[in-house]
Amino acid sequence: MTTVGEFMTTRLVTMDGNDTLIAAAQEMRDSAIGDVVVTDGDSVVGIVTDRDIAVRGVAENMDPGSTQLNQITTRDVITVSQYDDVVAAADLMRTYAVRRLPVIDDGRLVGLISMGDLAVEREPQSVLADISADDPNN
């Protein structure tokens, strides 16, 4: 069995729900990532993607400089364990129509696994795997 822990990303960026959309967008730009995990202390409360900032924030005329992540955060995040099978993780992504799953161990955030990570593992010749394995170009 191939586990989530073998393919998860451990280079995580977390932000507080009181941080602004601009702060999150700048962090995503600077870290060349597409999401931040929103936390309250050590607890994961949600996730915000670059698309969330554009669609739930900017497109709704929210001021990116004053709007807080809590206002657009996706809550009720589906999580997995680093010991879970990657096939089970892929099934969860398909079932819940999500592209990323935080990886939790004993209630603590230890990683993130994405659709791209799974594509590299399960379909290494696919276009998604090729794009996901390449260095960012932005």
Side-chain angles (χ1 to χ4, degrees):
M1 171 177 86
T2 306
T3 65
V4 166
E6 295 174 56
F7 295 95
M8 70 182 185
T9 299
T10 57
R11 195 189 90 201
L12 300 171
V13 174
T14 62
M15 297 186 80
D16 186 85
N18 295 320
D19 289 327
T20 64
L21 302 188
I22 283 182
Q26 291 170 339
E27 185 63 48
M28 289 180 200
R29 177 201 59 206
D30 296 346
S31 299
I33 57 175
D35 62 87
V36 295
V37 178
V38 181
T39 57
D40 181 10
D42 289 335
S43 300
V44 173
V45 295
I47 193 164
V48 170
T49 67
D50 46 6
R51 185 174 190 282
D52 293 332
I53 292 172
V55 174
R56 293 182 183 168
V58 176
E60 294 295 328
N61 278 336
M62 293 180 169
D63 176 11
S66 64
T67 301
Q68 297 177 336
L69 294 179
N70 281 334
Q71 294 175 254
I72 66 162
T73 297
T74 299
R75 301 186 186 281
D76 301 324
V77 177
I78 307 303
T79 64
V80 292
S81 162
Q82 62 184 325
Y83 306 108
D84 286 343
D85 182 58
V86 293
V87 173
D91 288 343
L92 282 172
M93 287 181 189
R94 184 179 309 109
T95 299
Y96 292 97
V98 295
R99 297 174 187 222
R100 300 165 179 91
L101 298 172
V103 182
I104 306 293
D105 187 22
D106 288 331
R108 190 174 55 88
L109 179 67
V110 296
L112 189 81
I113 191 152
S114 70
M115 188 180 298
D117 297 329
L118 295 177
V120 170
E121 157 59 14
R122 299 195 30 94
E123 298 179 37
Q125 303 306 314
S126 71
V127 172
L128 179 58
D130 191 40
I131 292 168
S132 298
D134 205 5
D135 290 333
N137 65 358
N138 50 1

